[in-house]
Amino acid sequence: MNLKERLRLQVLNKIDVTRELEDNEIRDLIREEILLLGQEKMITLEQKLRLEQEVFNSIRKFDVLQDLLDDDSISEIMINGWRDIYIEKNGHITKSNYMFSSEEKLYDVIQQIVSMNNRMVNESSPIVDTKLPDGSRVNVILSPVSIDHSTVTIRKFPKERITMKTLIEKSSLSQEVADFLEKLVVSGYNIFISGPTSSGKTTFLNALTDYIPKTERVVTIEDSAELQISGIDNLVRLESRNATLEGKLEIRIRDLVKAALRIRPDRIIVGECRGAEALDMLQALNTGHDGTLSTGHGNSSIDMISRLETMVLMADDVDLPITAIDKQIASGVDIFIHLSRINKSQRKLMEVNEVIGYENGEVKLQKLFQYENKEGKDVWKRVGTLKHTQKLEAYFTENYTDTKPT
């Protein structure tokens, strides 16, 4: 048994379980044990401070994970069993020097994380998506589904909310593209953001919400609440719920989309479309709910259309031909934005496409902006002009009678 584990057990034995102790009381107990330990062996001040923090983290926080969570330079933490913890910094993945004391300790931390959001993970339900108090996204896959060891993947989010201004400063898009998108969001265009894993879809969606007029009623729907919408008072946040062990009380994204339509939303934001909820979202878009924003995994805007087709076909209560699905996409979605990750660390807006209709058996897109890298310089070239300007003109005519949209 190592020194940290020995101290942890000694402190746990002294904790008064009949009442809830404050953090400072726990620290006092740890310091007492460290002082007693100092009578047995020589311990430097630096070692004492380190031991105090490590033991406190193991009792009140997330054990060895806490130091990694507190490090703002780390963007992702990947735990492959109790011995191997990998981290991502600036797009580069390396193995950390941290490890848990045992597989049992890792399992305890996993249960601590999932219970904070009333989630459950066990042999009968070995996969779960949840989040930490700071909004970091967590995925857990228990052994033996994860054959060699249980895995935990934590996608961290910046402490400070990323705005469109920040994205421009990071060269994720140009000011011209941002100004154009602002007009579209304000005017109520239905926008779908696609991109591969870790391309910044949620971050970009979050930044786009800053353009929503502050007087509107907004309903957000997420599998695990991550969006950080600011400045909108009339905001309703909905989150799905997993089924119990008896298979009851499940609340699906589909259920939330249907519920959202009944609470008089001006806008519906679906954090991510992954399955059959795409059908309900498309039906909402085609029944007058303009200004909807959502994201999905795809390798391009065209690929995202195919993915949406597949998602709709996952609905077990509806049997629609591809033609009908494509027509719903063409009439419901106005704009597809595609993001990607370049050189592992640079996230870029790659293209903005307008949906111009359904023709010859397929959804037709017109490219409006295209990312290019010319001699090491980022350029977002405008290659098309918005064809469907009705929403834009209607909004600006109603709100700015002396101003014409550009």
Side-chain angles (χ1 to χ4, degrees):
M1 183 184 299
N2 61 33
L3 200 55
K4 175 188 135 183
E5 188 63 16
R6 174 186 164 186
L7 284 170
R8 188 180 78 88
L9 292 175
Q10 289 172 340
V11 172
L12 288 175
N13 287 332
K14 286 191 172 183
I15 288 178
D16 182 358
V17 294
T18 63
R19 65 185 184 89
E20 183 69 25
L21 270 66
E22 299 291 334
D23 285 353
N24 62 329
E25 294 178 284
I26 296 291
R27 286 191 180 276
D28 287 342
L29 288 175
I30 296 171
R31 292 186 188 114
E32 287 176 12
E33 291 302 318
I34 291 175
L35 285 174
L36 292 174
L37 181 65
Q39 296 173 7
E40 299 177 16
K41 58 185 299 184
M42 185 67 179
I43 306 177
T44 66
L45 177 60
E46 183 180 353
Q47 289 174 320
K48 289 178 180 179
L49 293 174
R50 184 65 189 169
L51 270 174
E52 179 187 334
Q53 191 59 47
E54 287 180 352
V55 174
F56 179 77
N57 286 345
S58 69
I59 294 174
R60 272 294 162 92
K61 297 198 174 183
F62 301 116
D63 200 54
V64 297
L65 273 187
Q66 195 61 48
D67 284 345
L68 302 177
L69 291 169
D70 291 339
D71 187 343
D72 293 339
S73 67
I74 295 174
S75 57
E76 195 142 6
I77 303 169
M78 293 150 278
I79 304 168
N80 301 341
W82 67 275
R83 289 187 180 93
D84 299 321
I85 301 178
Y86 292 82
I87 58 174
E88 182 185 52
K89 283 187 178 184
N90 301 317
H92 300 287
I93 297 175
T94 57
K95 186 176 180 180
S96 78
N97 295 322
Y98 290 86
M99 67 171 65
F100 289 92
S101 58
S102 65
E103 186 71 28
E104 290 73 22
K105 184 59 183 178
L106 170 58
Y107 185 79
D108 288 344
V109 171
I110 289 173
Q111 294 301 330
Q112 181 184 355
I113 290 172
V114 299
S115 65
M116 296 178 76
N117 294 290
N118 296 318
R119 298 290 173 111
M120 183 168 41
V121 63
N122 49 40
E123 284 188 7
S124 61
S125 181
I127 302 173
V128 68
D129 289 305
T130 186
K131 64 181 184 297
L132 295 175
D134 65 357
S136 297
R137 184 188 305 168
V138 182
N139 173 268
V140 176
I141 307 176
L142 291 185
S143 176
V145 173
S146 177
I147 297 172
D148 298 318
H149 36 58
S150 297
T151 66
V152 182
T153 307
I154 302 174
R155 174 81 54 81
K156 292 175 62 182
F157 290 98
K159 300 294 183 185
E160 293 186 6
R161 187 175 179 275
I162 293 180
T163 64
M164 198 60 74
K165 180 182 178 182
T166 309
L167 293 176
I168 294 169
E169 291 171 351
K170 290 177 176 290
S171 296
S172 293
L173 76 163
S174 67
Q175 185 67 57
E176 181 187 8
V177 177
D179 291 342
F180 177 74
L181 293 179
E182 179 179 9
K183 292 185 176 73
L184 297 186
V185 174
V186 166
S187 304
Y189 281 71
N190 296 320
I191 299 174
F192 201 98
I193 303 165
S194 66
T197 299
S198 192
S199 56
K201 297 183 294 296
T202 302
T203 299
F204 197 88
L205 173 61
N206 214 49
L208 275 184
T209 63
D210 286 345
Y211 296 144
I212 296 175
K214 307 308 178 188
T215 56
E216 294 189 355
R217 177 172 172 81
V218 177
V219 179
T220 66
I221 298 170
E222 299 177 84
D223 193 37
S224 182
E226 297 171 358
L227 292 173
Q228 299 172 309
I229 297 177
S230 63
I232 296 177
D233 294 330
N234 198 349
L235 175 66
V236 178
R237 303 170 70 223
L238 305 178
E239 185 179 54
S240 65
R241 184 175 66 194
N242 292 339
T244 63
L245 286 173
E246 296 79 21
K248 300 178 180 179
L249 304 178
E250 179 184 19
I251 303 295
R252 304 170 301 170
I253 295 290
R254 290 197 70 184
D255 302 321
L256 297 179
V257 173
K258 293 174 182 176
L261 298 176
R262 303 188 190 106
I263 57 177
R264 204 255 177 235
D266 288 312
R267 295 182 189 244
I268 299 173
I269 300 174
V270 182
E272 182 178 347
C273 273
R274 297 181 182 176
E277 65 270 7
L279 171 63
D280 303 284
M281 185 191 71
L282 287 175
Q283 290 177 338
L285 297 182
N286 284 283
T287 53
H289 288 84
D290 291 334
T292 294
L293 306 173
S294 189
T295 75
H297 283 82
N299 295 320
S300 67
S301 295
I302 294 174
D303 180 60
M304 193 66 243
I305 292 172
S306 298
R307 294 268 296 128
L308 283 171
E309 293 170 354
T310 303
M311 291 178 198
V312 172
L313 292 173
M314 292 169 68
D316 53 13
D317 56 344
V318 175
D319 184 16
L320 290 174
I322 293 295
T323 300
I325 298 171
D326 283 346
K327 286 181 178 178
Q328 286 207 28
I329 295 172
S331 61
V333 181
D334 298 311
I335 299 290
F336 279 99
I337 298 171
H338 185 68
L339 311 178
S340 192
R341 194 172 179 179
I342 300 175
N343 300 327
K344 293 186 178 180
S345 60
Q346 300 177 351
R347 295 172 173 87
K348 305 286 185 185
L349 180 149
M350 303 304 293
E351 57 186 30
V352 178
N353 292 285
E354 178 188 10
V355 179
I356 57 176
Y358 178 81
E359 186 179 323
N360 298 326
E362 62 181 15
V363 179
K364 292 291 185 181
L365 300 180
Q366 176 196 212
K367 195 165 291 184
L368 302 176
F369 287 93
Q370 174 70 53
Y371 168 76
E372 297 177 3
N373 188 288
K374 292 185 176 181
E375 299 178 352
K377 183 178 181 181
D378 295 322
V379 176
W380 283 268
K381 186 178 179 181
R382 187 158 192 166
V383 293
T385 304
L386 191 69
K387 181 178 180 181
H388 296 138
T389 61
Q390 298 93 328
K391 292 179 182 178
L392 200 64
E393 291 170 348
Y395 180 85
F396 280 88
T397 298
E398 180 181 349
N399 294 278
Y400 307 98
T401 54
D402 58 343
T403 305
K404 292 184 177 181
T406 57

